[in-house]
Amino acid sequence: MTRQAPPPHLATPLASPEHDTSLPGTPMPPLDAWMHRQQSSGGSNMTAALLAWFEGPPPTLSALRRLAGGRLARYERLRQMPSAPGTDPTCDSWPMWSTGGPFEADHHVAESPDVITNGLEAHIAALFTTPLDPRRPPWQLHLIPATGGFVLLFRAHHALLDGRSIATLLRALSDETGALHPGRVRGPAPADAPSRSRQLAWNLGDLLPKACPLPFHGPVDPHRVLSFRQVPRKELDAARDSLRSAGSAERASTNAVFLSATAGALRTMGLTGRPLPTLPGICALVPVDVRTNEESQLLGNHYATVRVPLPRQRDARLRLAAVDSFIRRSAIGARARAQAAVVSSRPRKITPLSNAAGRYVDSPRYFSLLCSSVSTHAGELTLGPARLTAMAGIPPLGPGHPLAVTAIHHGSTSVVTAITDHNHRHLAPALAERIHDEIRALAS
């Protein structure tokens, strides 16, 4: 197979400031520091991961290590290690990033043995929760055999990389063979800049509890259960078009379809709590990337979160219309950038009050469920003769939140993932399947 030249942004090694805004030996940015501190919470296990399915022959382990050494070694972020006085992440001293030794692909790229009899999902869940080596930068790339091809599991401590960062690294490992589609990331335009009064209202509102604790909230154990459902693009597109049949002039966003389908799944499973008018509603915590187009290759944590109400209506199209309307009128992109600016300027002292002021509040009264939806906006990606067919996101579970859901949209396939701790293992396959059912209902 003839290997095509890498795209322009990967052809020449870029200087580290283009990938990492924190210099070696400097204090962690606030969001990194919060993720680092949360690792001390027994069942939190603040590891994030991205799973990529490939159709075709897998590379050998040595070939994958050579590829990683050639394409990932230039990312300075992958040599960063957390450090804190006494190496204790629970202390109040602000943690630091320090630079490790040379890039060592042999220590970070591993081949999985034969998938255990419990199946691929259980095998990945076990790998996902395996502790990262504390002596080295906290990331790992696993090559896993699968029927008809293989999968790559890229996992990292969330203090080091967010989901967009991991996707950037997986894309750097791959070859672009199709037309490129730029990501829908916009810089703060003057017309989009919120007023000071609106920013103040957002800041104050984010400090207030708004969510309904759901029946599954409680302690989180350290084990994980995963369930994946692949959704054909034609079903997702038909679900987006259903908003027009309800009288709207525009299609719904993929994010709105995912959130409204999640709301419907919670409702039909009886997981919405007591629907009394006096109680707060169900709120999804939605991560929003705040990188501009010029910052698209930045690694680290560059996002903010917005709470989106999940409606309880019986009619699926009414739920979709309500979510899509909220997303449009609330300008969640501008809101996320305003929040990120406040958080990044927070004083470097870890206290319960500063956690609340920084929007890092774990109580189920602040958000009911983590819901993350990402579109890769990439052309066809290959690894040698193998073609990347689908991707899935695996987020960490925060204290008190033993359930999270994600949707990754790549090419002609979207993958809905539900992740729970072991105590709530029955919820993972049921919720993933119900979300798919709700998307199909919108598409019909």
Side-chain angles (χ1 to χ4, degrees):
M1 176 179 178
T2 302
R3 187 179 295 276
Q4 294 193 2
H9 70 281
L10 297 177
T12 304
L14 299 176
S16 60
E18 297 184 62
H19 299 284
D20 179 19
T21 55
S22 62
L23 298 176
T26 58
M28 289 184 183
L31 191 50
D32 294 8
W34 187 80
M35 294 294 182
H36 175 258
R37 183 172 182 264
Q38 288 304 107
Q39 184 63 41
S40 64
S41 179
S44 292
N45 192 331
M46 297 304 290
T47 301
L50 206 62
L51 187 68
W53 280 268
F54 287 84
E55 187 179 79
T60 63
L61 178 61
S62 58
L64 185 59
R65 285 173 170 171
R66 286 196 300 272
L67 187 65
R71 298 192 178 188
L72 300 185
R74 61 176 175 256
Y75 291 92
E76 293 281 343
R77 183 77 176 186
L78 295 183
R79 296 173 55 222
Q80 297 290 288
M81 295 183 62
S83 62
T87 65
D88 180 10
T90 66
C91 67
D92 288 338
S93 299
W94 198 267
M96 310 281 286
W97 282 122
S98 61
T99 302
F103 185 92
E104 298 176 296
D106 288 359
H107 292 298
H108 290 280
V109 182
E111 185 173 22
S112 177
D114 292 337
V115 175
I116 57 178
T117 55
N118 287 344
L120 182 64
E121 291 175 345
H123 186 63
I124 293 168
L127 286 176
F128 178 64
T129 52
T130 301
L132 293 159
D133 189 342
R135 300 166 299 176
R136 294 188 171 88
W139 66 274
Q140 195 83 30
L141 177 64
H142 300 271
L143 173 63
I144 306 169
T147 303
F150 62 98
V151 297
L152 293 181
L153 176 68
F154 199 125
R155 64 191 185 102
H157 196 287
H158 210 318
L160 185 75
L161 302 171
D162 62 10
R164 173 72 179 270
S165 300
I166 299 176
T168 294
L169 294 170
L170 280 173
R171 191 166 175 174
L173 275 175
S174 306
D175 295 310
E176 307 264 11
T177 62
L180 299 179
H181 303 282
R184 298 175 185 175
V185 181
R186 297 181 303 154
D192 198 27
S195 66
R196 288 184 179 274
S197 60
R198 193 175 190 190
Q199 289 186 57
L200 179 61
W202 286 342
N203 294 338
L204 293 176
D206 283 341
L207 297 178
L208 301 176
K210 291 183 178 179
C212 173
L214 301 183
F216 50 76
H217 286 134
V220 179
D221 71 47
H223 303 291
R224 299 292 178 263
V225 176
L226 306 175
S227 187
F228 306 108
R229 292 295 183 275
Q230 295 197 7
V231 180
R233 174 64 66 172
K234 62 181 181 181
E235 289 184 5
L236 186 63
D237 286 343
R240 295 180 63 193
D241 287 334
S242 68
L243 197 62
R244 287 176 172 165
S245 65
S248 174
E250 299 182 3
R251 304 172 78 196
S253 67
T254 54
N255 194 25
V257 169
F258 169 62
L259 291 172
S260 64
T262 301
L266 292 173
R267 182 185 181 281
T268 57
M269 291 177 66
L271 298 176
T272 57
R274 297 167 57 197
L276 299 177
T278 56
L279 294 179
I282 304 170
C283 278
L285 189 73
V286 179
V288 179
D289 189 76
V290 295
R291 296 167 177 88
T292 64
N293 284 331
E294 292 74 21
E295 298 168 337
S296 62
Q297 299 298 303
L298 276 175
L299 302 187
N301 285 289
H302 301 279
Y303 71 93
T305 54
V306 176
R307 288 181 291 179
V308 177
L310 297 183
R312 290 189 173 102
Q313 292 105 314
R314 181 184 297 274
D315 189 284
R317 286 180 174 80
L318 289 180
R319 288 196 302 270
L320 177 59
V323 173
D324 192 73
S325 174
F326 178 87
I327 290 174
R328 293 180 189 278
R329 72 174 183 271
S330 297
I332 64 174
R335 182 168 185 160
R337 289 190 291 273
Q339 181 191 130
V342 172
V343 170
S344 64
S345 63
R346 185 166 59 88
R348 290 191 173 95
K349 185 172 178 60
I350 298 176
T351 65
L353 179 59
S354 64
N355 275 350
R359 305 339 176 257
Y360 309 141
V361 181
D362 297 313
S363 168
R365 295 190 179 279
Y366 281 82
F367 69 94
S368 307
L369 186 72
L370 173 69
C371 296
S372 178
S373 174
V374 177
S375 295
T376 65
H377 299 294
E380 185 171 299
L381 303 177
T382 61
L383 193 64
R387 182 174 65 92
L388 195 158
T389 59
M391 300 176 75
I394 310 175
L397 298 178
H401 292 275
L403 171 65
V405 291
T406 68
I408 303 290
H409 316 287
H410 173 75
S412 60
T413 304
S414 298
V415 178
V416 172
T417 304
I419 175 171
T420 71
D421 70 351
H422 195 259
N423 285 337
H424 299 81
R425 55 191 178 276
H426 63 286
L427 292 179
L431 187 61
E433 184 60 37
R434 291 291 181 95
I435 291 174
H436 191 186
D437 288 343
E438 291 289 336
I439 294 173
R440 281 193 289 245
L442 284 168
S444 62

